[in-house]
Amino acid sequence: MAKETARPDVAGGRLTPAQYAANFADIHPPLARKAALVEANRCYFCHDAPCLEACPTGIDIPGFIKAVATDNVEGAALKILDANIFGGACARVCPTEVLCEGVCVREAQEGRPIQIGRLQRYATDDLFAKANGHPFTRAPRTGKRVAIVGGGPAGLACAHRLAMLGHDAVVFEAKPRLGGLNEYGVAEYKVAGHFARAEVEFILAIGGIQPFTNMALGRDISLVVLRREFDAVFLAIGLAGVNALTCEGEDLAGVHDAVQYIARLRQATDFAALAVGRRIVVIGGGNTAIDIAVQTKRLGAEDVTIVYRRGAEAMGATRHEQELAQTNGVKIKHWARPRRLVGREGHVSEAEFEYTRLDAGRLVGTGETLTLAADMVFKAIGQVFVADPLRENGKELLELESGRIKVDAERKTSLDRVWAGGDCTGGGEDLTVRAVEDGKRAASAIDRALRG
Ligand code: SF4
């Protein structure tokens, strides 16, 4: 991360403690019982429910909503968690408007889908709050040991399913805490408080999962050794690199990688200690761009502008996320790409963009420029897979495809006894719910392989 300077426009403590608390509180407060019952009773319990088809983890949505409607909240939670052990986090971070709620029959009929995400949260929160032990049991131990590299949703979903099936899972996580993006990468107001940590504890409570943190592949452990010492390996190492802007001024102080700043924010014990500029420019068009823009605004920045090189429809952020940014006072400028960052005394002071347009389907610059004053610039232009830990003597140990690990439908890699899932593999959107499904599928495939 670029170093901070003593510039007066980049400072912490812009707001009162009460304002910080309000700005970073849960964005979707949980449904109360009465509201949940009313919402659940709006459901048609469709026979060929399109919502179920749209859920990557195949949660029995009409089934759990029916359980909520009959006040069987624990039964609802168990249906959810059986399909998706991260049902609590997914209820908070899933882009439901483009998944289950986007295809809900009620959405097509009246433009008001069943609030599936909020009902899912109602049920899972209730189960966590009661803290009545872990609801799933382990099958008799098989004596097989599986190494899981990466303690995010894919890795922990795989570990949990393997533990249920009677295997022992050893999880190696490079960061100090488990949880992956739920712990380090999601906007604080989406997974507020310490929910991500509580959920990890809940998952580990099944037993048979041994976590080791601060253990990075390629530094503290190697794939060659893991394959030798374990019966199987599951790689869920995510995307460790970030794209570069490759424009002049990228190394100036005040130019930050959005992912790193969000991680810092999520680990902060005091939001007032986080230095934030008055004028923020965010470069990018995905959910990370929205997350950093909204959070810096909520930290007290006066002026926050997202600049994206194409139109609104091409942004990786959903329409709902774009609206969230705008209702938080964030400006979004389309059709402009970064040309250079200008500094004063070594610190960024302006960001210069060139307007763009499409020419026969190709993005080209128009030659016209736009300059925005900025005392902080955030790069949110995507993360990339880093293959270095998977190389031995300069050669990749397993096959890659489009820059990520190549896997088949069972999440098996080209290397014997090695599976992979989550963002480090290609073939789908980088969503928590997809990562969970990858972990689940890989665990089933590993189980079949280990039982011969
Ligand atoms: Fe209920 Fe909508 Fe799913 Fe039908 S599509 S089962 S109405 S949530």
Side-chain angles (χ1 to χ4, degrees):
M1 182 174 290
K3 60 185 183 296
E4 299 293 353
T5 67
R7 288 176 76 87
D9 282 345
V10 181
R14 294 195 181 283
L15 307 177
T16 64
Q19 285 171 315
Y20 285 117
N23 288 354
F24 289 94
D26 208 320
I27 198 166
H28 294 301
L31 287 172
R33 177 174 167 272
K34 207 165 158 191
L37 286 172
V38 169
E39 190 62 16
N41 277 296
R42 286 183 61 230
C43 180
Y44 292 140
F45 310 113
C46 309
H47 178 58
D48 291 318
C51 55
L52 192 158
E53 292 296 318
C55 175
T57 55
I59 292 174
D60 174 6
I61 293 170
F64 97 71
I65 295 179
K66 179 88 140 198
V68 172
T70 53
D71 225 1
N72 176 11
V73 189
E74 186 181 346
L78 291 179
K79 273 186 193 294
I80 295 162
L81 297 171
D82 187 40
N84 180 346
I85 198 63
F86 276 94
C90 287
R92 291 162 165 79
V93 303
C94 255
T96 50
E97 67 278 10
V98 294
L99 296 172
C100 54
E101 293 177 19
V103 297
C104 174
V105 173
R106 283 274 196 185
E107 165 67 14
Q109 278 181 350
E110 58 192 80
R112 199 162 71 89
I114 305 295
Q115 296 179 64
I116 301 168
R118 294 187 79 189
L119 286 173
Q120 180 167 317
R121 175 164 175 187
Y122 169 73
T124 50
D125 275 10
D126 186 76
L127 187 127
F128 291 151
K130 288 185 177 142
N132 204 8
H134 191 79
F136 301 107
T137 49
R138 297 191 68 194
R141 280 184 72 186
T142 62
K144 302 288 186 189
R145 294 170 71 238
V146 181
I148 313 267
V149 189
L156 290 181
C158 184
H160 185 268
R161 188 53 59 121
L162 287 167
M164 273 176 81
L165 293 165
H167 309 298
D168 289 334
V170 179
V171 179
F172 299 98
E173 166 56 47
K175 290 201 162 70
R177 291 184 192 281
L178 300 176
L181 290 178
N182 293 343
E183 174 64 36
Y184 290 100
V186 178
E188 175 65 23
Y189 48 77
K190 288 184 192 163
V191 183
H194 291 304
F195 177 79
R197 287 174 208 178
E199 190 172 50
V200 167
E201 302 249 308
F202 164 76
I203 291 170
L204 296 183
I206 190 169
I209 305 174
Q210 194 179 11
F212 291 96
T213 51
N214 294 308
M215 295 286 278
L217 189 69
R219 187 189 66 197
D220 311 297
I221 45 172
S222 81
L223 183 54
V224 172
V225 172
L226 292 179
R227 282 184 74 220
R228 198 166 60 221
E229 296 189 355
F230 288 84
D231 296 294
V233 179
F234 178 65
L235 298 171
I237 51 180
L239 304 174
V242 286
N243 284 317
L245 280 179
T246 59
C247 75
E248 185 189 324
E250 191 170 358
D251 296 331
L252 287 165
V255 180
H256 299 263
D257 167 32
V259 173
Q260 282 182 21
Y261 192 91
I262 291 171
R264 235 174 97 196
L265 191 149
R266 282 204 57 97
Q267 299 302 305
T269 50
D270 177 12
F271 292 130
L274 287 168
V276 68
R278 287 191 192 283
R279 292 160 298 267
I280 307 277
V281 171
V282 177
I283 302 170
N287 283 344
T288 303
I290 304 285
D291 282 357
I292 191 69
V294 173
Q295 290 191 112
T296 49
K297 194 83 177 72
R298 289 181 175 212
L299 280 174
E302 286 165 20
D303 190 87
V304 182
T305 307
I306 294 174
V307 184
Y308 179 55
R309 64 200 168 112
R310 292 176 186 265
E313 64 296 336
M315 287 179 82
T318 61
R319 179 67 65 183
H320 171 80
E321 287 285 317
Q322 294 177 44
E323 282 169 12
L324 175 75
Q326 284 159 335
T327 53
N328 275 270
V330 172
K331 287 174 273 183
I332 305 180
K333 287 193 183 296
H334 300 107
W335 299 108
R337 65 187 179 192
R339 210 157 94 146
R340 66 178 181 135
L341 303 176
V342 181
R344 209 174 54 232
E345 296 162 14
H347 195 287
V348 70
S349 59
E350 285 178 347
E352 191 179 297
F353 296 85
E354 179 183 23
Y355 283 109
T356 55
R357 64 179 172 81
L358 286 178
D359 181 10
R362 221 169 57 85
L363 194 73
V364 294
T366 65
E368 291 172 274
T369 59
L370 159 76
T371 301
L372 297 172
D375 32 52
M376 273 176 122
V377 171
F378 287 97
K379 299 181 280 180
I381 49 173
Q383 291 177 266
V384 287
F385 176 65
V386 177
D388 296 357
L390 300 174
R391 290 201 182 100
E392 187 81 359
N393 301 323
K395 277 179 66 181
E396 264 114 30
L397 293 164
L398 37 71
E399 232 178 289
L400 303 184
E401 187 175 55
S402 305
R404 301 197 194 185
I405 300 173
K406 184 180 176 185
V407 290
D408 65 15
E410 294 197 324
R411 311 307 186 253
K412 173 79 179 55
T413 71
S414 60
L415 196 58
D416 189 35
R417 293 187 295 110
V418 179
W419 284 256
D423 297 352
C424 65
T425 60
E429 295 153 294
D430 296 339
L431 297 175
T432 301
V433 68
R434 182 181 79 88
V436 173
E437 180 62 13
D438 283 356
K440 240 172 76 189
R441 280 198 197 191
S444 300
I446 292 168
D447 178 61
R448 285 194 294 278
L450 294 182
R451 291 176 195 274

